[in-house]
Amino acid sequence: MIIVMKSGAAKKDKDEVLKRIKELGYKPHVIHGETRDVIGAIGDERGKAVLQALESLHGVENVVPILQPYKLASKEVKKESSLVKISDDVVIGGKQVIIMAGPCAVESEQQILDSAIAVKKAGAHVLRGGAFKPRTSPYSFQGLEEGGLKLLAKARELTGMPFVTEVIDPETADLVAEYADILQIGARNSQNFALLKKVGQLRKPVLLKRGMAMTIQEFLMSAEYVMSEGNQSVILCERGIRTFETATRNTLDLSAIPVLKEKTHLPIVIDPSHGTGNHRYVAPMCFAAVAAGADGLIVEVHPDPEHASSDGPQSLKPAKFDVMMAKLKLFAEAGDRTL
Ligand code: PEP
Ligand code: MN
């Protein structure tokens, strides 16, 4: 249920509503809107009738049920798009399309610094790079772990770019959060509920990837796990789903953009690198994603993809990324966005 406060309702009225929600055994979540606040009462839906009684409280406009199984992520609760603040000058969900770029994994100091300098020069806003790698094979490169986080921090110091990196388990989440600006939850972990709850308790934005066989509803339920723990800074990321098609690594579901825009207020980022698995297909999918209204892109760029320890075939060389970015500007402008 959501309790819609009257516009300009007094703080003491809101506090009373919060108190009553807690007394009834629900978790209150205040969502600040442009003209009025709404308070979500999250918990067992069997007590709907009791919550309905809050309508009589001072300052309450009305009490309405949320029809979708996801609540805090739903557009029913919040009509305006959410802005997720990454740093003083990087905000996702507004007019500017945010570009995250860098290698799949941090491999060495030289590699991550070269990548950071190159993507920044081309106009990227956020550096990407995995330090903990969730590989399909246990024999593949698993990442530089804390050493990789330190190198990412060095790249941030050098370029001023915040960075996104993956968190693979609850045990190392605090460590990653000490360094990272955005915590990435990978496709393989997108229904690891213990991990989702853990990042929900941290105070860092979360880039949540869609699982390989996840419906849009399941995707939003995963976002709900993070939000219900108190972290509202969730960025959704479509990175391709598994279909019968083998010409591409995954099938990039660009229709997820308008569908999600209809269902949620959370920003949406597209990953055309994992979505296609082939560097030749990355630029066209970047253009299409921005044309369809994506709030950002996450693109793999590597200075020497032939020798990359992971995902070389889908990584752009810096020169190709630069050309893609120049052209992307036109698509952004056509959609009344900036880069
Ligand atoms: C990655 O971003 O390098 C990655 C492993 O992505 P995904 O979880 O989408 O496969
Ligand atoms: Mn990768």
Side-chain angles (χ1 to χ4, degrees):
M1 301 288 267
I2 50 172
I3 292 86
V4 182
M5 300 303 295
K6 288 189 174 142
S7 69
K11 184 175 178 301
K12 72 170 177 23
D13 294 337
K14 275 181 247 174
D15 289 345
E16 180 60 22
V17 173
L18 293 176
K19 190 171 132 246
R20 294 286 283 272
I21 291 173
K22 283 187 208 153
E23 280 169 5
L24 292 167
Y26 290 81
K27 229 192 212 177
H29 284 272
V30 183
I31 297 140
H32 300 289
E34 265 163 31
T35 53
R36 65 184 77 228
D37 287 344
V38 301
I39 302 171
I42 308 298
D44 193 336
E45 287 288 300
R46 278 172 297 185
K48 267 181 193 160
V50 203
L51 284 167
Q52 204 72 51
L54 298 184
E55 219 156 54
S56 62
L57 289 182
H58 202 252
V60 173
E61 177 85 46
N62 54 4
V63 177
V64 284
I66 312 169
L67 300 174
Q68 298 295 348
Y70 44 88
K71 313 287 178 194
L72 299 169
S74 166
K75 231 176 172 167
E76 291 177 85
V77 162
K78 186 169 181 277
K79 299 268 178 289
E80 321 90 72
S81 302
S82 282
L83 301 176
V84 176
K85 187 168 186 234
I86 309 303
S87 64
D88 285 343
D89 32 49
V90 181
V91 175
I92 304 186
K95 191 166 172 160
Q96 188 177 35
V97 178
I98 298 301
I99 310 299
M100 307 179 191
C104 178
V106 181
E107 296 164 8
S108 68
E109 176 163 345
Q110 187 76 43
Q111 175 248 17
I112 195 65
L113 297 186
D114 285 353
S115 304
I117 292 166
V119 299
K120 163 125 191 188
K121 191 161 151 270
H125 310 99
V126 176
L127 176 66
R128 68 146 286 150
F132 290 88
K133 295 301 299 174
R135 306 304 300 281
T136 300
S137 163
Y139 309 119
S140 300
F141 175 60
Q142 304 285 310
L144 298 181
E145 305 186 343
E146 190 172 6
L149 297 174
K150 290 199 160 95
L151 294 177
L152 285 161
K154 197 162 186 178
R156 173 174 55 202
E157 218 169 280
L158 182 73
T159 60
M161 260 191 302
F163 71 84
V164 54
T165 197
E166 185 162 351
V167 183
I168 59 169
D169 52 40
E171 293 73 30
T172 52
D174 290 306
L175 174 73
V176 177
E178 272 175 42
Y179 291 89
D181 301 284
I182 309 175
L183 305 172
Q184 176 176 326
I185 300 291
R188 290 157 193 79
N189 266 319
S190 55
Q191 284 185 311
N192 177 341
F193 301 120
L195 181 58
L196 295 174
K197 283 188 192 175
K198 176 68 196 178
V199 297
Q201 288 151 12
L202 299 174
R203 289 296 162 265
K204 282 281 164 87
V206 173
L207 179 83
L208 175 65
K209 291 214 178 183
R210 181 177 181 182
M212 321 189 175
M214 214 184 212
T215 63
I216 297 270
Q217 179 151 313
E218 287 163 341
F219 192 15
L220 290 170
M221 292 311 288
S222 287
E224 193 75 13
Y225 260 95
V226 178
M227 299 175 87
S228 67
E229 291 293 323
N231 188 351
Q232 309 301 307
S233 299
V234 178
I235 305 152
L236 301 171
C237 178
E238 159 63 36
R239 47 76 74 202
I241 49 175
R242 194 162 278 183
T243 66
F244 53 82
E245 185 54 75
T246 53
T248 46
R249 181 177 176 182
N250 290 293
T251 296
L252 186 63
D253 179 13
L254 289 181
S255 67
I257 302 167
V259 174
L260 286 166
K261 287 278 170 202
E262 202 173 84
K263 295 183 185 300
T264 181
H265 52 86
L266 298 172
I268 299 138
V269 162
I270 296 294
D271 175 351
S273 309
H274 296 86
T276 64
N278 188 326
H279 68 95
R280 294 195 307 281
Y281 308 147
V282 168
M285 291 297 99
C286 288
F287 305 148
V290 169
D295 297 298
L297 298 172
I298 179 162
V299 183
E300 287 186 339
V301 178
H302 194 291
D304 182 14
E306 288 84 0
H307 297 101
S309 47
S310 61
D311 289 347
Q314 67 194 34
S315 299
L316 292 180
K317 288 184 179 164
K320 285 267 165 60
F321 178 66
D322 205 45
V323 172
M324 186 284 288
M325 287 291 284
K327 200 165 167 192
L328 187 66
K329 197 163 180 286
L330 303 172
F331 285 90
E333 284 164 3
D336 200 25
R337 308 287 290 260
T338 57
L339 249 200

